[in-house]
Amino acid sequence: MLNGVLAALVAITASCAFVTPGASILIGAISGILTFFTAQWFEKAGVDDPVFAFSVHGIAGIWGTLSTGLFATPELAEKVGIGKAGLFYGGGLEQLGVQALGVFGAFLFVLVLSFVILYILKATIGLRVTEEEEIIGLDLSEHGTYGYPEQMKKAQAGGSAQII
């Protein structure tokens, strides 16, 4: 539920100055639904995203950006002084095309830059920890402490928490 709320906030951020309150509710609701289903899809596809950050921020951000091209009102675009009316307000496909071009450009930039940075990291310090560090746990092996010390107390007292 929290991811759905976060996705709604992410989605409306791009278009908040251009859409009506009713449209913002619709944009947020759609982003919550998109986040739920894309998170499931990415998990089934084996994408390593344990907190569904890409669904919440990436997918909702894409939807929110495109929604400006759908729901922008001519009055608010004029008031802000930039952009045009969205598709549902008689603006045609022009603003939607501008938004789609922005999404594509940002995607391409992030894809190339991520590849370059990850390639450099892999060639220099590596991207993975050792199997031993995975077994110990990254909280302990990388940070030298337990991430949830209260769970350690329960485990030592014979509670239900398990240390893996």
Side-chain angles (χ1 to χ4, degrees):
M1 189 164 125
L2 181 59
N3 279 344
V5 171
L6 288 172
L9 293 170
V10 167
I12 196 55
T13 300
S15 58
C16 64
F18 300 93
V19 301
T20 64
S24 67
I25 292 170
L26 183 62
I27 291 166
I30 291 171
S31 69
I33 293 167
L34 281 172
T35 295
F36 175 77
F37 286 110
T38 58
Q40 288 184 337
W41 186 79
F42 288 132
E43 190 169 13
K44 286 179 187 172
V47 175
D48 187 16
D49 189 13
V51 295
F52 309 119
F54 183 70
S55 291
V56 171
H57 296 279
I59 299 299
I62 290 168
W63 160 244
T65 302
L66 293 175
S67 70
T68 304
L70 298 172
F71 297 102
T73 67
E75 298 83 16
L76 291 174
E78 184 180 327
K79 187 173 186 174
V80 173
I82 192 166
K84 298 191 176 179
L87 180 65
F88 299 148
Y89 288 89
L93 294 172
E94 184 178 357
Q95 190 63 48
L96 183 58
V98 168
Q99 299 304 118
L101 181 63
V103 166
F104 178 73
F107 177 80
L108 194 61
F109 175 77
V110 169
L111 181 71
V112 170
L113 194 60
S114 294
F115 179 79
V116 169
I117 290 170
L118 291 171
Y119 181 80
I120 291 169
L121 286 173
K122 185 176 181 182
T124 56
I125 63 173
L127 293 175
R128 305 250 347 154
V129 296
T130 66
E131 186 177 348
E132 181 183 4
E133 289 172 318
E134 283 187 32
I135 292 170
I136 292 171
L138 294 182
D139 287 332
L140 192 57
S141 66
E142 290 287 316
H143 306 292
T145 187
Y146 295 103
Y148 301 94
E150 65 276 8
Q151 298 298 326
M152 295 301 301
K153 291 176 187 174
K154 287 181 186 177
Q156 290 170 349
S160 61
Q162 296 180 352
I163 303 171
I164 298 176

